[in-house]
Amino acid sequence: MRSIKEKYLALSGGIGGAKLALGLSRVLDGSALTIIANTGDDFEHLGLYISPDVDTLLYTLAGINNKESGWGRADETWNFFATARELGMESWFQLGDKDIALHLYRTNRLRQGISLSAVVQELASKLGIALRLVPMSDAPVRTMVDTEIGVLAFQEYFVKHRCEPKVKGIRFAGSETAQPSGGFRAMLEHPALCATIICPSNPLLSIQPILSLPGLEKKLSNSKAPVIVVSPLVRGQALKGPTAKMMQELGLGTGVPAIARLYQGIAQGIVIDSSDAAYSEQLEALGLQVLATNIVMETLADKIRLAEELVQFAREFSGQ
Amino acid sequence: MRSIKEKYLALSGGIGGAKLALGLSRVLDGSALTIIANTGDDFEHLGLYISPDVDTLLYTLAGINNKESGWGRADETWNFFATARELGMESWFQLGDKDIALHLYRTNRLRQGISLSAVVQELASKLGIALRLVPMSDAPVRTMVDTEIGVLAFQEYFVKHRCEPKVKGIRFAGSETAQPSGGFRAMLEHPALCATIICPSNPLLSIQPILSLPGLEKKLSNSKAPVIVVSPLVRGQALKGPTAKMMQELGLGTGVPAIARLYQGIAQGIVIDSSDAAYSEQLEALGLQVLATNIVMETLADKIRLAEELVQFAREFSGQ
């Protein structure tokens, strides 16, 4: 464990981000690590407040995630869901029996007037998670995907339509006024902040909602701590999800250089897969320091090793 | 099946009432039978609107009830409940994974502004129940039990404290203003009403909330159709639940004659168990016509036979 005086901030979406977050949680002391979760995917469904990226982080960090599907809980059962379908309730979003308990807990606490940050912290504690897991904002920001078949709320695009409709644009409803959560702001301004890590999450759907918060990009630029991106692409493809497809549809280019361009002016470092090492010079020309290593995180050992290398890379920026 | 012109109304609580309701549903045409469910037990729990007697009736009439426990669904699983307990949510009221779907359906529909009557009718249809199942009122009436340890909401008394505290009184909060539901009123005034049957339910906890509605006792008295009580006691004991214990604690006496006194002025007939036939004269002296038969309903055949005898008994009142 490193000194608890060093602080690390990691911005994360769901699956890929949660894998790195788990690695970081094994490398850094809990008090040194704050994970900021994207809440642009959050939605209300069957009267339940559902926060998919927060939940993937909670379940992954608690070691109770479903490793096969990448979402939801391990050893889940589906009797609620089957019954709900029999009753004719909307059934395009799968809700496991155990998962429902978490949703109901959060929904009830929010109705009691507790902030989302406080509820997430309660859930993290109850699940035995030592680090700070903080939603990007306590106010609603909702990712809306403009597609060839119309504007879709994120979950409709992602789950109901399985990312199939061609994307024409993305916007984050509410992001003009939503403030970064208190825990997020405090860490951004923390004098001991060593680095802000952008996890290997979809830049358009998972990271952009966070960066869209008012003043956020400026706060990142003003921070003395470097911003380090971990590439969500390996050999031009996302390991999971529609990142490459969406970037192409939006004319944002392909591969790691396209990712780097998205973060130009924000990031100072980038971690790419060894298989993409040939792009290093091109990335350096964009003003980025590059670490090429194996970024595919299959085992826990992979996650820990990548986290170790990443922390070392970050410390080099601050000359430690 | 009898002529659909004859109408029957049955007032019911949970388990015992649901058994007779099931028998009646096999003897009478669906359009001839309206079951009025006690909603005095209803409560909000974990943000869900729960209606225990309605649900016992729904599950029993749909043939998906748990016959061992007497409440909830058959082949139920408990993963929601176990997880909710792990999260520190209130866990004194058991909620099965399948059961939750029904509660969430109802809660969401009520939030949308649909009446409880309409929601119950929707659920009955979805579960393939042909008869009319109608909550006693669309407005809240809440059974409050005054006990030696203080006033308890019904479910707290019944489930949390397992009916153990000595009862000093019972009141029905909201009953001064709650109107009988439209479906209930329509049947009470229906010219073809042949009988109002009071199911073998706890008179104090399940039937009294219904009778406490404004003008209800008068409507029953004014009805040309007889009111026939099926005794909830056999040899002085309830087959399930705290009827005998509560009646004793409230100084209301014991056994079938005490039941009859509770319904004096309301009922014209009473169906008692053959083992209690010795009380017949005493009951007749209270102005009641008596049918003594086997009222223990273990098998479906028991339920159907009792329902047949009951309908025959009712028809004798109207001289058919």
Side-chain angles (χ1 to χ4, degrees):
Chain A
M1 294 286 166
R2 286 164 194 284
S3 153
I4 59 160
K5 285 177 187 164
E6 274 178 9
K7 303 284 184 191
Y8 290 83
L9 196 51
L11 316 187
S12 178
I15 303 177
K19 284 183 177 182
L20 182 57
L22 179 60
L24 288 167
S25 77
R26 300 301 177 97
V27 168
L28 297 168
D29 188 277
S31 66
L33 180 58
T34 302
I35 310 283
I36 304 299
N38 168 44
T39 58
D41 303 3
D42 291 14
F43 71 127
E44 194 145 332
H45 184 62
L46 306 181
L48 300 169
Y49 183 97
I50 299 177
S51 194
D53 286 352
V54 166
D55 292 351
T56 297
L57 283 159
L58 284 169
Y59 292 152
T60 302
L61 292 167
I64 55 174
N65 57 311
N66 182 330
K67 291 177 184 69
E68 285 72 45
S69 66
W71 57 267
R73 287 187 62 146
D75 305 318
E76 185 59 282
T77 58
W78 303 96
N79 287 309
F80 163 86
F81 192 66
T83 309
R85 199 156 40 190
E86 282 162 22
L87 293 176
M89 296 166 82
E90 277 192 88
S91 63
W92 55 270
F93 191 88
Q94 289 183 271
L95 290 167
D97 297 330
K98 296 179 180 178
D99 198 31
I100 286 271
L102 192 86
H103 301 317
L104 201 59
Y105 181 96
R106 176 171 40 224
T107 304
N108 290 338
R109 292 296 277 158
L110 290 172
R111 280 215 187 96
Q112 287 163 13
I114 313 295
S115 72
L116 185 61
S117 289
V119 179
V120 171
Q121 194 49 55
E122 286 176 1
L123 287 168
S125 299
K126 283 167 193 286
L127 293 173
I129 297 167
L131 57 81
R132 261 171 281 182
L133 177 60
V134 179
M136 67 189 207
S137 178
D138 287 331
V141 174
R142 295 293 169 260
T143 299
M144 307 299 292
V145 186
D146 186 11
T147 76
E148 56 186 354
I149 63 165
V151 175
L152 300 173
F154 175 77
Q155 295 297 340
E156 292 194 337
Y157 167 75
F158 197 71
V159 178
K160 202 171 185 178
H161 292 281
R162 281 162 293 188
C163 309
E164 285 163 3
K166 198 176 161 184
V167 174
K168 293 155 66 183
I170 304 170
R171 65 186 185 85
F172 309 105
S175 71
E176 310 76 21
T177 53
Q179 291 301 310
S181 57
F184 190 7
R185 286 201 306 273
M187 280 310 303
L188 280 168
E189 290 154 12
H190 200 290
L193 182 65
C194 186
T196 297
I197 296 159
I198 296 183
C199 288
S201 298
N202 186 317
L204 307 174
L205 295 178
S206 299
I207 303 301
Q208 204 55 51
I210 306 178
L211 300 181
S212 76
L213 295 170
L216 213 280
E217 292 198 12
K218 197 170 177 198
K219 274 191 208 296
L220 283 175
S221 311
N222 291 350
S223 166
K224 278 175 296 178
V227 174
I228 300 171
V229 178
V230 180
S231 172
L233 298 182
V234 172
R235 289 195 194 86
Q237 288 301 317
L239 296 169
K240 188 123 193 164
T243 306
K245 175 181 180 283
M246 291 185 79
M247 288 185 66
Q248 211 154 12
E249 287 167 358
L250 289 168
L252 295 169
T254 57
V256 163
I259 297 290
R261 279 193 296 274
L262 288 176
Y263 293 118
Q264 217 175 348
I266 300 168
Q268 286 77 51
I270 188 165
V271 182
I272 62 172
D273 194 68
S274 307
S275 63
D276 288 318
Y279 293 115
S280 296
E281 256 181 69
Q282 206 179 326
L283 299 171
E284 280 160 7
L286 293 167
L288 294 165
Q289 291 193 40
V290 181
L291 170 65
T293 183
N294 176 13
I295 64 168
V296 181
M297 294 174 282
E298 279 169 7
T299 64
L300 179 60
D302 292 338
K303 298 176 183 73
I304 292 173
R305 184 202 35 77
L306 179 57
E308 276 284 9
E309 291 186 46
L310 181 55
V311 168
Q312 189 51 45
F313 186 50
R315 299 180 84 217
E316 283 163 15
F317 276 90
S318 48
Q320 293 181 334
Chain B
M1 293 285 168
R2 287 165 192 285
S3 155
I4 58 162
K5 285 178 188 165
E6 276 179 4
K7 303 285 183 189
Y8 290 83
L9 197 51
L11 316 187
S12 177
I15 304 176
K19 285 183 178 183
L20 182 57
L22 179 61
L24 289 166
S25 76
R26 301 299 178 98
V27 167
L28 297 168
D29 186 277
S31 66
L33 180 59
T34 301
I35 310 283
I36 303 299
N38 168 44
T39 58
D41 302 4
D42 291 13
F43 71 126
E44 193 145 334
H45 184 61
L46 306 181
L48 300 168
Y49 183 97
I50 298 176
S51 194
D53 286 352
V54 166
D55 292 350
T56 296
L57 283 159
L58 283 170
Y59 292 152
T60 302
L61 292 167
I64 55 175
N65 58 311
N66 183 330
K67 291 178 182 69
E68 286 71 48
S69 66
W71 56 267
R73 287 187 63 147
D75 306 317
E76 187 58 283
T77 58
W78 304 95
N79 287 309
F80 164 85
F81 191 66
T83 308
R85 198 157 39 190
E86 281 163 23
L87 293 176
M89 296 165 82
E90 277 191 87
S91 63
W92 53 271
F93 191 87
Q94 288 184 272
L95 289 167
D97 297 329
K98 296 178 181 180
D99 197 31
I100 285 272
L102 192 86
H103 300 317
L104 201 59
Y105 180 97
R106 176 171 38 224
T107 304
N108 290 337
R109 293 294 278 157
L110 290 172
R111 280 215 187 98
Q112 287 162 14
I114 313 293
S115 72
L116 185 61
S117 288
V119 179
V120 171
Q121 195 49 55
E122 286 176 1
L123 287 168
S125 298
K126 282 167 192 286
L127 293 173
I129 297 166
L131 55 81
R132 262 173 280 185
L133 176 61
V134 179
M136 68 190 208
S137 177
D138 287 329
V141 175
R142 296 293 168 260
T143 299
M144 307 297 294
V145 186
D146 187 11
T147 76
E148 57 186 350
I149 63 165
V151 175
L152 300 173
F154 175 77
Q155 294 297 339
E156 291 194 338
Y157 167 75
F158 197 71
V159 179
K160 201 171 185 177
H161 292 281
R162 281 163 296 191
C163 309
E164 286 163 5
K166 198 176 162 184
V167 173
K168 295 157 64 182
I170 303 170
R171 65 185 184 86
F172 308 105
S175 71
E176 310 76 20
T177 53
Q179 291 303 309
S181 57
F184 190 7
R185 286 202 306 273
M187 280 311 302
L188 281 167
E189 290 154 12
H190 200 290
L193 183 66
C194 185
T196 296
I197 296 159
I198 296 183
C199 289
S201 298
N202 186 317
L204 307 173
L205 295 178
S206 300
I207 303 302
Q208 204 56 50
I210 306 177
L211 300 181
S212 75
L213 294 170
L216 213 280
E217 292 199 12
K218 198 169 177 199
K219 275 191 208 297
L220 283 175
S221 311
N222 291 349
S223 165
K224 278 175 298 179
V227 174
I228 300 171
V229 178
V230 180
S231 172
L233 298 182
V234 172
R235 288 195 195 88
Q237 287 303 315
L239 296 169
K240 187 118 193 167
T243 307
K245 173 181 180 286
M246 291 185 80
M247 288 184 66
Q248 210 154 12
E249 287 168 358
L250 289 168
L252 296 169
T254 57
V256 164
I259 297 289
R261 279 193 295 274
L262 288 176
Y263 292 117
Q264 216 175 351
I266 298 168
Q268 286 78 50
I270 188 163
V271 181
I272 61 171
D273 195 68
S274 307
S275 62
D276 288 319
Y279 292 115
S280 296
E281 256 181 68
Q282 205 179 326
L283 299 172
E284 281 161 6
L286 292 168
L288 293 165
Q289 292 193 41
V290 180
L291 169 66
T293 183
N294 176 11
I295 65 169
V296 180
M297 294 173 282
E298 278 169 10
T299 64
L300 179 60
D302 292 339
K303 298 176 183 75
I304 292 173
R305 184 202 35 76
L306 179 58
E308 276 284 11
E309 291 186 46
L310 180 56
V311 167
Q312 189 51 45
F313 186 51
R315 299 181 85 215
E316 284 163 14
F317 276 89
S318 46
Q320 295 181 331

